[in-house]
Coordinates of all heavy atoms in Angstrom, one line a residue:
M11 N 68.9 40.7 -38.6 CA 68.2 40.6 -37.3 C 66.9 39.8 -37.5 O 66.1 40.1 -38.4 CB 67.9 42.0 -36.9 CG 67.2 42.0 -35.5 SD 66.8 43.7 -34.9 CE 65.4 44.1 -35.9
F12 N 66.7 38.9 -36.6 CA 65.4 38.1 -36.7 C 64.3 38.9 -36.0 O 64.5 39.5 -35.0 CB 65.6 36.7 -36.0 CG 64.4 35.9 -36.0 CD1 64.0 35.3 -37.2 CD2 63.6 35.8 -34.9 CE1 62.8 34.5 -37.2 CE2 62.4 35.0 -34.9 CZ 62.0 34.4 -36.1
K13 N 63.2 38.9 -36.7 CA 62.0 39.6 -36.1 C 60.8 38.8 -36.4 O 60.5 38.3 -37.5 CB 61.9 41.0 -36.9 CG 61.1 42.0 -36.3 CD 61.3 43.3 -37.1 CE 60.4 44.4 -36.5 NZ 60.7 45.7 -37.2
I14 N 60.0 38.6 -35.3 CA 58.7 37.9 -35.5 C 57.7 38.9 -36.2 O 57.5 40.0 -35.7 CB 58.1 37.4 -34.2 CG1 59.1 36.3 -33.6 CG2 56.7 36.9 -34.3 CD1 58.7 35.8 -32.3
R15 N 57.1 38.5 -37.2 CA 56.2 39.4 -38.0 C 54.8 38.9 -37.9 O 54.5 37.7 -38.0 CB 56.7 39.5 -39.4 CG 58.1 40.1 -39.5 CD 58.7 39.8 -40.8 NE 58.1 40.6 -41.9 CZ 58.3 40.4 -43.2 NH1 59.0 39.3 -43.6 NH2 57.8 41.2 -44.1
K16 N 53.9 39.8 -37.8 CA 52.4 39.5 -37.7 C 51.8 39.2 -39.1 O 52.0 40.1 -40.0 CB 51.7 40.7 -37.1 CG 50.3 40.5 -36.9 CD 49.6 41.7 -36.2 CE 48.1 41.5 -36.1 NZ 47.5 42.6 -35.5
N17 N 51.2 38.1 -39.2 CA 50.6 37.8 -40.5 C 49.3 38.5 -40.7 O 48.4 38.5 -39.8 CB 50.4 36.2 -40.6 CG 50.0 35.8 -42.0 OD1 50.7 36.2 -43.0 ND2 48.9 35.1 -42.1
I18 N 49.1 39.2 -41.8 CA 47.9 39.9 -42.1 C 47.1 39.0 -43.2 O 47.6 39.0 -44.3 CB 48.1 41.3 -42.7 CG1 49.0 42.1 -41.8 CG2 46.8 42.0 -42.9 CD1 48.5 42.7 -40.6
P19 N 46.1 38.4 -42.8 CA 45.4 37.5 -43.8 C 44.6 38.3 -44.8 O 44.4 39.5 -44.6 CB 44.4 36.7 -42.9 CG 44.2 37.5 -41.7 CD 45.4 38.3 -41.5
N20 N 44.2 37.7 -45.9 CA 43.4 38.3 -46.9 C 44.1 39.4 -47.7 O 43.4 40.2 -48.3 CB 42.0 38.8 -46.4 CG 41.3 37.7 -45.6 OD1 41.3 36.6 -46.0 ND2 40.6 38.1 -44.6
H21 N 45.4 39.4 -47.6 CA 46.2 40.4 -48.4 C 47.3 39.7 -49.1 O 47.9 38.8 -48.5 CB 46.8 41.4 -47.4 CG 45.8 42.4 -46.8 ND1 44.9 42.0 -45.9 CD2 45.6 43.7 -47.0 CE1 44.1 43.1 -45.6 NE2 44.6 44.1 -46.2
Q22 N 47.5 40.0 -50.4 CA 48.5 39.4 -51.1 C 49.3 40.5 -51.9 O 48.7 41.4 -52.5 CB 48.0 38.5 -52.2 CG 47.1 37.3 -51.6 CD 46.5 36.4 -52.7 OE1 46.6 36.7 -53.8 NE2 45.9 35.3 -52.2
L23 N 50.6 40.4 -51.8 CA 51.5 41.4 -52.5 C 52.1 40.7 -53.8 O 52.8 39.8 -53.7 CB 52.6 41.9 -51.6 CG 53.4 43.0 -52.2 CD1 52.6 44.3 -52.3 CD2 54.7 43.3 -51.4
F24 N 51.7 41.3 -54.9 CA 52.3 40.8 -56.2 C 53.5 41.7 -56.4 O 53.5 42.9 -56.2 CB 51.2 41.1 -57.3 CG 50.1 40.1 -57.3 CD1 49.1 40.3 -56.3 CD2 50.0 39.0 -58.1 CE1 48.0 39.4 -56.2 CE2 49.0 38.1 -58.1 CZ 48.0 38.3 -57.1
Y25 N 54.6 41.0 -56.7 CA 55.9 41.6 -56.8 C 56.9 40.8 -57.6 O 56.5 39.7 -58.1 CB 56.5 41.7 -55.3 CG 57.1 40.4 -54.8 CD1 58.4 40.3 -54.7 CD2 56.2 39.3 -54.6 CE1 59.0 39.1 -54.3 CE2 56.8 38.1 -54.2 CZ 58.2 38.0 -54.0 OH 58.7 36.8 -53.6
F26 N 58.1 41.4 -57.8 CA 59.2 40.5 -58.2 C 60.4 41.0 -57.5 O 60.5 42.2 -57.1 CB 59.4 40.3 -59.7 CG 59.7 41.6 -60.5 CD1 61.0 42.1 -60.6 CD2 58.7 42.2 -61.2 CE1 61.3 43.2 -61.4 CE2 58.9 43.4 -62.0 CZ 60.2 43.8 -62.1
D27 N 61.4 40.1 -57.3 CA 62.5 40.3 -56.4 C 63.4 41.6 -56.7 O 63.7 42.3 -55.8 CB 63.5 39.1 -56.5 CG 63.3 38.1 -55.4 OD1 62.5 38.5 -54.4 OD2 63.8 37.1 -55.4
T28 N 63.6 41.9 -57.9 CA 64.6 43.0 -58.2 C 63.9 44.3 -58.5 O 64.5 45.3 -58.8 CB 65.4 42.6 -59.5 OG1 64.6 42.3 -60.6 CG2 66.4 41.5 -59.2
C29 N 62.6 44.4 -58.4 CA 61.8 45.6 -58.6 C 62.1 46.6 -57.4 O 61.7 46.2 -56.3 CB 60.3 45.3 -58.7 SG 59.2 46.7 -58.4
P30 N 62.6 47.7 -57.6 CA 63.0 48.6 -56.5 C 61.8 49.1 -55.7 O 61.8 49.3 -54.5 CB 63.7 49.8 -57.2 CG 63.4 49.7 -58.7 CD 63.1 48.3 -59.0
F31 N 60.6 49.3 -56.4 CA 59.4 49.7 -55.7 C 58.9 48.6 -54.8 O 58.4 48.9 -53.8 CB 58.4 50.2 -56.8 CG 58.8 51.3 -57.7 CD1 59.3 51.0 -58.9 CD2 58.8 52.6 -57.3 CE1 59.8 51.9 -59.8 CE2 59.3 53.6 -58.1 CZ 59.8 53.3 -59.4
C32 N 59.1 47.4 -55.3 CA 58.7 46.2 -54.5 C 59.6 46.1 -53.2 O 59.1 45.8 -52.1 CB 58.7 44.9 -55.3 SG 57.7 45.0 -56.8
I33 N 60.9 46.3 -53.5 CA 61.8 46.3 -52.4 C 61.5 47.3 -51.3 O 61.5 47.0 -50.1 CB 63.3 46.5 -52.9 CG1 63.7 45.3 -53.7 CG2 64.3 46.7 -51.7 CD1 65.0 45.4 -54.5
K34 N 61.1 48.5 -51.8 CA 60.7 49.6 -50.8 C 59.5 49.1 -50.0 O 59.5 49.3 -48.8 CB 60.4 50.8 -51.7 CG 60.0 52.0 -50.8 CD 59.8 53.3 -51.7 CE 58.5 53.3 -52.4 NZ 58.2 54.6 -53.1
V35 N 58.5 48.5 -50.6 CA 57.3 48.1 -49.9 C 57.7 47.0 -49.0 O 57.3 47.0 -47.8 CB 56.2 47.6 -50.9 CG1 55.1 46.9 -50.2 CG2 55.7 48.8 -51.7
R36 N 58.5 46.0 -49.4 CA 58.8 44.9 -48.6 C 59.6 45.3 -47.4 O 59.4 44.8 -46.3 CB 59.6 43.8 -49.4 CG 58.7 43.2 -50.5 CD 59.5 42.4 -51.5 NE 60.0 41.2 -50.8 CZ 61.0 40.5 -51.4 NH1 61.6 40.8 -52.5 NH2 61.4 39.4 -50.8
F37 N 60.5 46.3 -47.6 CA 61.3 46.8 -46.4 C 60.4 47.5 -45.4 O 60.5 47.3 -44.2 CB 62.4 47.7 -47.0 CG 63.3 48.2 -45.9 CD1 64.0 47.3 -45.1 CD2 63.4 49.6 -45.6 CE1 64.9 47.7 -44.1 CE2 64.3 50.0 -44.6 CZ 65.0 49.1 -43.8
A38 N 59.4 48.3 -45.9 CA 58.5 49.0 -45.1 C 57.6 48.0 -44.3 O 57.4 48.2 -43.1 CB 57.6 49.9 -45.9
L39 N 57.2 46.9 -44.9 CA 56.4 45.9 -44.2 C 57.3 45.2 -43.1 O 56.8 45.0 -42.0 CB 55.9 44.8 -45.2 CG 54.9 45.3 -46.3 CD1 54.4 44.1 -47.1 CD2 53.7 45.9 -45.6
W40 N 58.5 44.9 -43.5 CA 59.4 44.3 -42.5 C 59.6 45.3 -41.3 O 59.5 44.8 -40.2 CB 60.8 44.1 -43.2 CG 61.8 43.5 -42.2 CD1 61.9 42.1 -41.9 CD2 62.8 44.2 -41.5 NE1 62.9 42.0 -41.0 CE2 63.5 43.2 -40.7 CE3 63.2 45.5 -41.4 CZ2 64.5 43.5 -39.9 CZ3 64.3 45.8 -40.6 CH2 64.9 44.8 -39.8
K41 N 59.8 46.5 -41.6 CA 59.9 47.5 -40.5 C 58.7 47.6 -39.6 O 58.8 47.8 -38.4 CB 60.3 48.9 -41.0 CG 61.7 49.1 -41.4 CD 62.1 50.5 -41.5 CE 61.4 51.2 -42.6 NZ 61.9 52.6 -42.8
M42 N 57.5 47.4 -40.2 CA 56.2 47.5 -39.5 C 55.9 46.1 -38.8 O 54.9 46.0 -38.1 CB 55.1 47.9 -40.4 CG 55.1 49.3 -40.8 SD 53.6 49.7 -41.8 CE 54.2 49.6 -43.4
G43 N 56.7 45.1 -39.1 CA 56.5 43.8 -38.5 C 55.3 43.1 -39.1 O 54.6 42.4 -38.4
I44 N 55.1 43.3 -40.4 CA 53.9 42.7 -41.1 C 54.4 41.7 -42.1 O 55.4 41.9 -42.8 CB 53.2 43.9 -41.8 CG1 52.5 44.9 -40.9 CG2 52.1 43.3 -42.8 CD1 52.0 46.1 -41.6
K45 N 53.5 40.6 -42.2 CA 53.8 39.6 -43.2 C 52.5 39.4 -44.0 O 51.4 39.3 -43.4 CB 54.2 38.3 -42.5 CG 55.0 37.4 -43.3 CD 55.6 36.3 -42.4 CE 54.7 35.1 -42.4 NZ 55.2 34.0 -41.5
V46 N 52.6 39.4 -45.3 CA 51.5 39.1 -46.1 C 51.9 38.0 -47.1 O 53.1 37.8 -47.3 CB 50.9 40.3 -46.9 CG1 50.4 41.4 -46.0 CG2 52.0 40.9 -47.8
K47 N 50.9 37.4 -47.7 CA 51.2 36.4 -48.7 C 51.9 37.0 -49.9 O 51.4 38.1 -50.4 CB 49.9 35.6 -49.2 CG 50.2 34.5 -50.1 CD 48.9 33.8 -50.4 CE 49.0 32.8 -51.5 NZ 49.8 31.6 -51.3
M48 N 53.0 36.5 -50.4 CA 53.7 37.1 -51.5 C 53.5 36.3 -52.8 O 53.6 35.1 -52.7 CB 55.2 37.1 -51.1 CG 55.6 37.8 -49.8 SD 55.3 39.6 -49.9 CE 56.5 40.1 -51.1
K49 N 53.3 37.0 -53.9 CA 53.2 36.4 -55.1 C 54.1 36.9 -56.2 O 53.9 38.1 -56.7 CB 51.7 36.5 -55.6 CG 50.7 35.6 -54.8 CD 49.4 35.5 -55.5 CE 48.7 34.2 -55.0 NZ 47.3 34.1 -55.6
D50 N 55.2 36.2 -56.5 CA 56.2 36.6 -57.4 C 55.6 36.4 -58.8 O 55.2 35.3 -59.2 CB 57.4 35.7 -57.2 CG 58.6 36.2 -58.0 OD1 58.5 36.6 -59.2 OD2 59.7 36.3 -57.4
I51 N 55.6 37.5 -59.6 CA 55.0 37.4 -61.0 C 56.0 36.9 -62.0 O 55.6 36.7 -63.1 CB 54.4 38.8 -61.4 CG1 55.4 39.9 -61.6 CG2 53.3 39.2 -60.4 CD1 54.9 41.0 -62.5
L52 N 57.3 36.9 -61.7 CA 58.3 36.4 -62.7 C 58.5 34.9 -62.5 O 58.7 34.2 -63.4 CB 59.6 37.2 -62.6 CG 59.5 38.7 -62.9 CD1 60.9 39.3 -62.9 CD2 58.8 38.9 -64.3
L53 N 58.4 34.5 -61.2 CA 58.7 33.1 -60.9 C 57.5 32.2 -61.3 O 57.7 31.1 -61.8 CB 58.9 33.0 -59.4 CG 59.9 32.0 -58.8 CD1 61.2 32.2 -59.4 CD2 59.9 32.1 -57.3
R54 N 56.3 32.8 -61.2 CA 55.1 32.0 -61.6 C 54.2 32.8 -62.5 O 53.7 33.8 -62.2 CB 54.3 31.6 -60.3 CG 55.1 30.7 -59.4 CD 54.2 30.2 -58.2 NE 54.9 29.3 -57.4 CZ 55.0 28.0 -57.7 NH1 54.4 27.5 -58.7 NH2 55.7 27.2 -56.8
R55 N 54.1 32.2 -63.7 CA 53.3 33.0 -64.7 C 51.8 33.1 -64.4 O 51.2 34.0 -64.8 CB 53.6 32.5 -66.1 CG 53.1 31.1 -66.4 CD 53.2 30.7 -67.9 NE 54.7 30.6 -68.2 CZ 55.1 30.4 -69.5 NH1 54.2 30.2 -70.4 NH2 56.4 30.3 -69.8
E56 N 51.4 32.1 -63.6 CA 50.0 32.2 -63.1 C 49.7 33.4 -62.2 O 48.6 34.0 -62.2 CB 49.5 30.9 -62.5 CG 50.1 30.5 -61.2 CD 51.3 29.5 -61.4 OE1 52.0 29.6 -62.4 OE2 51.6 28.7 -60.5
N57 N 50.7 33.8 -61.5 CA 50.6 35.0 -60.6 C 50.5 36.2 -61.5 O 49.7 37.1 -61.2 CB 51.8 35.1 -59.7 CG 51.8 34.1 -58.6 OD1 50.8 33.4 -58.3 ND2 52.9 33.9 -57.9
K58 N 51.3 36.3 -62.5 CA 51.2 37.5 -63.4 C 49.9 37.5 -64.1 O 49.3 38.6 -64.3 CB 52.4 37.3 -64.5 CG 52.5 38.5 -65.4 CD 53.7 38.4 -66.3 CE 53.8 39.5 -67.3 NZ 55.0 39.3 -68.1
A59 N 49.4 36.4 -64.6 CA 48.1 36.3 -65.2 C 47.0 36.7 -64.3 O 46.0 37.5 -64.7 CB 47.8 34.9 -65.7
E60 N 47.1 36.3 -63.0 CA 46.1 36.7 -62.0 C 46.1 38.2 -61.8 O 45.0 38.8 -61.7 CB 46.4 35.9 -60.7 CG 45.3 36.2 -59.6 CD 45.6 35.6 -58.3 OE1 46.7 34.9 -58.1 OE2 44.9 35.9 -57.3
L61 N 47.3 38.8 -61.7 CA 47.4 40.2 -61.5 C 46.8 41.0 -62.7 O 46.0 41.9 -62.4 CB 48.9 40.6 -61.4 CG 49.3 42.1 -61.4 CD1 48.7 42.7 -60.1 CD2 50.8 42.3 -61.4
I62 N 47.1 40.6 -63.9 CA 46.6 41.3 -65.1 C 45.0 41.1 -65.1 O 44.3 42.1 -65.4 CB 47.2 40.8 -66.4 CG1 48.7 41.2 -66.3 CG2 46.6 41.4 -67.6 CD1 49.6 40.5 -67.4
A63 N 44.6 39.9 -64.9 CA 43.1 39.7 -65.0 C 42.4 40.4 -63.9 O 41.3 41.0 -64.1 CB 42.9 38.2 -64.9
G64 N 42.9 40.5 -62.7 CA 42.2 41.1 -61.6 C 42.5 42.6 -61.5 O 41.5 43.4 -61.4
G65 N 43.7 43.0 -61.5 CA 44.1 44.4 -61.3 C 44.0 45.2 -62.6 O 43.8 46.4 -62.5
G66 N 44.1 44.6 -63.7 CA 44.0 45.3 -65.0 C 45.3 45.7 -65.6 O 45.3 46.0 -66.8
K67 N 46.4 45.6 -64.9 CA 47.7 45.8 -65.5 C 48.8 45.0 -64.8 O 48.6 44.6 -63.7 CB 48.1 47.3 -65.5 CG 47.9 48.1 -64.2 CD 48.2 49.5 -64.3 CE 48.0 50.3 -63.0 NZ 48.4 51.7 -63.1
K68 N 50.0 44.9 -65.5 CA 51.0 44.0 -64.9 C 52.0 44.8 -64.0 O 53.0 44.2 -63.6 CB 51.8 43.3 -66.0 CG 52.7 44.2 -66.9 CD 53.4 43.3 -67.8 CE 54.6 43.9 -68.5 NZ 54.5 45.3 -69.0
Q69 N 51.7 46.0 -63.6 CA 52.6 46.8 -62.8 C 52.7 46.2 -61.4 O 51.7 45.8 -60.8 CB 52.1 48.2 -62.7 CG 53.0 49.2 -61.9 CD 52.5 50.6 -61.9 OE1 52.4 51.2 -63.0 NE2 52.1 51.1 -60.8
V70 N 53.9 46.2 -60.8 CA 54.1 45.8 -59.4 C 54.9 46.9 -58.7 O 55.6 47.7 -59.4 CB 54.9 44.4 -59.3 CG1 54.0 43.3 -59.7 CG2 56.2 44.5 -60.1
P71 N 54.7 47.0 -57.4 CA 54.0 46.2 -56.6 C 52.5 46.5 -56.7 O 52.1 47.6 -57.0 CB 54.5 46.6 -55.2 CG 54.9 48.0 -55.3 CD 55.4 48.1 -56.7
C72 N 51.7 45.5 -56.4 CA 50.2 45.6 -56.3 C 49.7 44.8 -55.1 O 50.1 43.6 -55.0 CB 49.6 45.2 -57.6 SG 47.8 45.3 -57.6
L73 N 48.9 45.4 -54.4 CA 48.3 44.7 -53.2 C 46.9 44.3 -53.5 O 46.1 45.1 -53.8 CB 48.4 45.6 -52.0 CG 47.9 45.0 -50.7 CD1 48.8 44.0 -50.2 CD2 47.7 46.1 -49.6
R74 N 46.7 43.0 -53.4 CA 45.3 42.4 -53.5 C 44.7 42.4 -52.1 O 45.2 41.7 -51.2 CB 45.3 41.1 -54.1 CG 44.0 40.4 -54.4 CD 44.1 39.0 -54.9 NE 42.9 38.4 -55.2 CZ 42.1 37.7 -54.4 NH1 42.5 37.6 -53.1 NH2 41.0 37.1 -54.8
I75 N 43.6 43.1 -51.9 CA 42.9 43.2 -50.6 C 41.6 42.5 -50.7 O 40.7 42.9 -51.5 CB 42.7 44.6 -50.2 CG1 44.1 45.4 -50.2 CG2 42.1 44.7 -48.8 CD1 43.9 46.9 -50.3
E76 N 41.4 41.4 -50.0 CA 40.1 40.7 -50.0 C 39.3 41.1 -48.8 O 39.6 40.9 -47.7 CB 40.4 39.2 -49.9 CG 39.4 38.4 -50.6 CD 39.8 36.9 -50.5 OE1 40.9 36.6 -50.8 OE2 38.9 36.1 -50.2
K77 N 38.1 41.8 -49.2 CA 37.2 42.2 -48.1 C 36.0 41.2 -48.1 O 36.0 40.3 -49.0 CB 36.8 43.6 -48.3 CG 37.9 44.6 -48.2 CD 37.5 46.0 -48.4 CE 38.8 47.0 -48.3 NZ 38.6 48.2 -49.0
S78 N 35.0 41.5 -47.3 CA 34.0 40.5 -47.1 C 33.4 40.1 -48.5 O 33.2 38.9 -48.8 CB 32.9 41.0 -46.2 OG 32.6 42.4 -46.5
N79 N 33.0 41.1 -49.3 CA 32.4 40.6 -50.6 C 33.0 41.4 -51.8 O 32.3 41.6 -52.8 CB 30.9 40.7 -50.5 CG 30.4 42.1 -50.1 OD1 31.3 43.0 -49.9 ND2 29.1 42.3 -49.9
E80 N 34.2 41.9 -51.6 CA 34.8 42.6 -52.8 C 36.3 42.4 -52.7 O 36.9 42.2 -51.6 CB 34.4 44.0 -52.8 CG 34.9 44.9 -51.7 CD 34.5 46.4 -51.8 OE1 33.3 46.6 -51.6 OE2 35.4 47.2 -52.1
I81 N 36.9 42.6 -53.9 CA 38.4 42.5 -53.9 C 38.9 43.8 -54.5 O 38.4 44.3 -55.5 CB 38.8 41.3 -54.8 CG1 38.5 40.0 -54.1 CG2 40.3 41.4 -55.1 CD1 38.6 38.8 -55.0
E82 N 39.9 44.4 -53.8 CA 40.5 45.7 -54.2 C 41.9 45.4 -54.7 O 42.6 44.6 -54.0 CB 40.4 46.7 -53.1 CG 40.9 48.1 -53.4 CD 41.0 49.0 -52.2 OE1 40.3 48.8 -51.2 OE2 41.8 50.0 -52.3
W83 N 42.3 46.1 -55.8 CA 43.7 45.9 -56.2 C 44.3 47.3 -56.1 O 43.9 48.2 -56.7 CB 43.7 45.5 -57.7 CG 43.1 44.1 -57.9 CD1 41.8 43.8 -58.0 CD2 43.8 42.9 -58.0 NE1 41.6 42.4 -58.1 CE2 42.9 41.8 -58.1 CE3 45.2 42.5 -58.0 CZ2 43.3 40.5 -58.3 CZ3 45.6 41.2 -58.1 CH2 44.6 40.2 -58.2
L84 N 45.3 47.4 -55.2 CA 45.9 48.7 -54.9 C 47.3 48.7 -55.5 O 48.2 48.0 -55.1 CB 46.0 48.8 -53.4 CG 46.6 50.2 -52.9 CD1 45.7 51.4 -53.3 CD2 46.7 50.1 -51.3
Y85 N 47.5 49.6 -56.5 CA 48.8 49.8 -57.1 C 49.5 51.0 -56.4 O 48.9 51.7 -55.7 CB 48.6 50.1 -58.6 CG 48.2 48.9 -59.5 CD1 46.9 48.6 -59.7 CD2 49.2 48.1 -60.0 CE1 46.5 47.6 -60.5 CE2 48.8 47.0 -60.8 CZ 47.5 46.7 -61.0 OH 47.1 45.6 -61.8
E86 N 50.8 51.2 -56.8 CA 51.6 52.3 -56.3 C 52.2 52.0 -54.9 O 51.5 51.9 -53.9 CB 50.8 53.7 -56.2 CG 50.4 54.2 -57.6 CD 51.7 54.4 -58.5 OE1 52.7 54.8 -58.0 OE2 51.6 54.1 -59.7
S87 N 53.5 52.0 -54.9 CA 54.2 51.6 -53.6 C 53.9 52.5 -52.5 O 53.6 52.0 -51.3 CB 55.7 51.6 -53.9 OG 56.1 52.8 -54.5
D88 N 53.8 53.8 -52.7 CA 53.6 54.7 -51.6 C 52.1 54.5 -51.0 O 51.9 54.6 -49.8 CB 53.7 56.2 -52.0 CG 55.2 56.6 -52.2 OD1 56.0 55.9 -51.7 OD2 55.4 57.6 -52.9
A89 N 51.2 54.3 -51.9 CA 49.8 54.0 -51.5 C 49.7 52.7 -50.7 O 49.0 52.7 -49.7 CB 48.9 54.0 -52.7
I90 N 50.5 51.7 -51.1 CA 50.5 50.4 -50.4 C 51.0 50.6 -49.0 O 50.5 50.1 -48.0 CB 51.2 49.4 -51.2 CG1 50.5 49.1 -52.5 CG2 51.4 48.1 -50.3 CD1 51.3 48.2 -53.5
I91 N 52.2 51.3 -48.9 CA 52.8 51.6 -47.6 C 51.8 52.4 -46.7 O 51.6 52.0 -45.5 CB 54.1 52.3 -47.7 CG1 55.1 51.4 -48.4 CG2 54.7 52.8 -46.4 CD1 56.4 52.0 -48.9
K92 N 51.2 53.4 -47.2 CA 50.3 54.2 -46.5 C 49.1 53.4 -46.0 O 48.6 53.5 -44.9 CB 49.8 55.4 -47.4 CG 49.4 56.6 -46.6 CD 49.2 57.8 -47.5 CE 50.6 58.5 -47.8 NZ 50.5 59.6 -48.8
Y93 N 48.6 52.5 -46.9 CA 47.5 51.6 -46.5 C 47.8 50.8 -45.2 O 47.0 50.8 -44.3 CB 47.2 50.7 -47.7 CG 46.2 49.6 -47.3 CD1 44.8 49.8 -47.4 CD2 46.6 48.4 -46.9 CE1 43.9 48.9 -47.1 CE2 45.7 47.4 -46.5 CZ 44.4 47.6 -46.6 OH 43.5 46.6 -46.3
F94 N 49.0 50.2 -45.2 CA 49.4 49.4 -44.0 C 49.6 50.3 -42.8 O 49.3 49.9 -41.7 CB 50.6 48.6 -44.3 CG 50.3 47.3 -45.2 CD1 50.7 47.2 -46.5 CD2 49.5 46.3 -44.6 CE1 50.4 46.1 -47.2 CE2 49.2 45.2 -45.4 CZ 49.7 45.1 -46.7
Q95 N 50.2 51.5 -43.0 CA 50.4 52.4 -41.9 C 49.1 52.7 -41.2 O 49.0 53.0 -40.0 CB 51.1 53.6 -42.3 CG 52.6 53.4 -42.6 CD 53.3 54.5 -43.3 OE1 52.7 55.4 -43.9 NE2 54.6 54.6 -43.2
N96 N 48.0 52.8 -42.0 CA 46.7 53.2 -41.5 C 45.8 52.0 -41.1 O 44.7 52.2 -40.7 CB 45.9 54.1 -42.5 CG 46.6 55.4 -42.8 OD1 47.2 55.9 -41.8 ND2 46.6 55.9 -44.0
L97 N 46.3 50.8 -41.2 CA 45.5 49.7 -40.9 C 45.3 49.6 -39.4 O 46.3 49.6 -38.7 CB 46.2 48.4 -41.5 CG 45.4 47.2 -41.8 CD1 44.4 47.6 -42.9 CD2 46.3 46.1 -42.3
P98 N 44.1 49.5 -38.9 CA 43.9 49.5 -37.4 C 44.5 48.3 -36.7 O 44.9 48.5 -35.5 CB 42.4 49.5 -37.3 CG 41.8 49.3 -38.6 CD 42.9 49.4 -39.6
T99 N 44.7 47.2 -37.4 CA 45.2 46.0 -36.7 C 46.7 46.1 -36.6 O 47.3 45.2 -35.9 CB 44.8 44.7 -37.4 OG1 45.2 44.9 -38.8 CG2 43.4 44.5 -37.4
V100 N 47.4 47.0 -37.2 CA 48.9 47.1 -37.2 C 49.4 47.9 -36.0 O 48.8 48.9 -35.7 CB 49.4 47.6 -38.5 CG1 50.9 47.8 -38.4 CG2 49.1 46.7 -39.6
Ligands
GSH325 N1 55.0 54.4 -59.4 C1 55.0 53.0 -59.3 C2 56.1 52.4 -60.2 C3 56.0 50.9 -60.2 C4 56.9 50.4 -61.4 O1 57.3 51.1 -62.3 N2 57.0 49.0 -61.4 C5 57.7 48.4 -62.5 C6 58.7 47.3 -62.0 S1 60.0 48.0 -61.1 C7 56.7 47.7 -63.4 O2 55.9 47.0 -62.9 N3 56.8 47.9 -64.7 C8 55.9 47.3 -65.6 C9 54.6 48.0 -65.9 O3 54.5 49.1 -65.4 O4 53.8 47.5 -66.6 C10 55.2 52.6 -57.8 O5 55.7 53.4 -57.0 O6 54.7 51.5 -57.4

């Protein structure tokens, strides 16, 4: 089914295709009609390096949230889904 999805800027989801926790998050985002920038850590080694350097570990999914003057790295699929469910703009 085709669905128009709202782009949420300043958010990036680090993931890889076959990771079941990433699939869970991506499906939840699809159901909520949300689109964020996706960064595959297996396809591009610079994405994996960015995740480890910024977030501190290579676990996915991880959501990079860019706020006015700080960057937050949110791990754990359930926490990421909950974050989007509570986002006022959604
Ligand atoms: N409890 C975590 C589990 C995430 C997880 O185990 N991800 C795997 C990929 S499917 C991973 O990144 N493993 C590598 C690592 O933890 O360093 C969640 O729900 O997000």
Side-chain angles (χ1 to χ4, degrees):
M11 184 180 70
F12 180 75
K13 195 172 180 177
I14 294 176
R15 297 162 75 195
K16 182 179 177 183
N17 190 53
I18 309 283
N20 306 325
H21 289 68
Q22 300 178 352
L23 186 69
F24 288 75
Y25 78 107
F26 63 81
D27 262 351
T28 55
C29 159
F31 303 96
C32 304
I33 292 170
K34 183 174 78 174
V35 170
R36 294 169 69 197
F37 185 59
L39 292 185
W40 180 81
K41 279 199 293 184
M42 285 186 264
I44 293 173
K45 206 167 95 183
V46 295
K47 185 175 170 69
M48 303 294 293
K49 289 197 158 174
D50 190 317
I51 66 158
L52 296 187
L53 215 56
R54 294 189 177 277
R55 67 174 65 181
E56 65 267 29
N57 288 345
K58 186 175 177 180
E60 185 187 355
L61 172 64
I62 295 168
K67 51 182 177 176
K68 70 175 198 314
Q69 182 181 297
V70 287
C72 178
L73 183 67
R74 181 185 185 273
I75 306 162
E76 206 176 317
K77 293 179 182 159
S78 46
N79 52 6
E80 67 180 72
I81 292 168
E82 186 187 335
W83 295 81
L84 182 62
Y85 287 93
E86 293 300 323
S87 52
D88 287 341
I90 296 169
I91 293 169
K92 207 167 279 174
Y93 171 85
F94 281 112
Q95 285 170 339
N96 293 328
L97 209 60
T99 52
V100 173

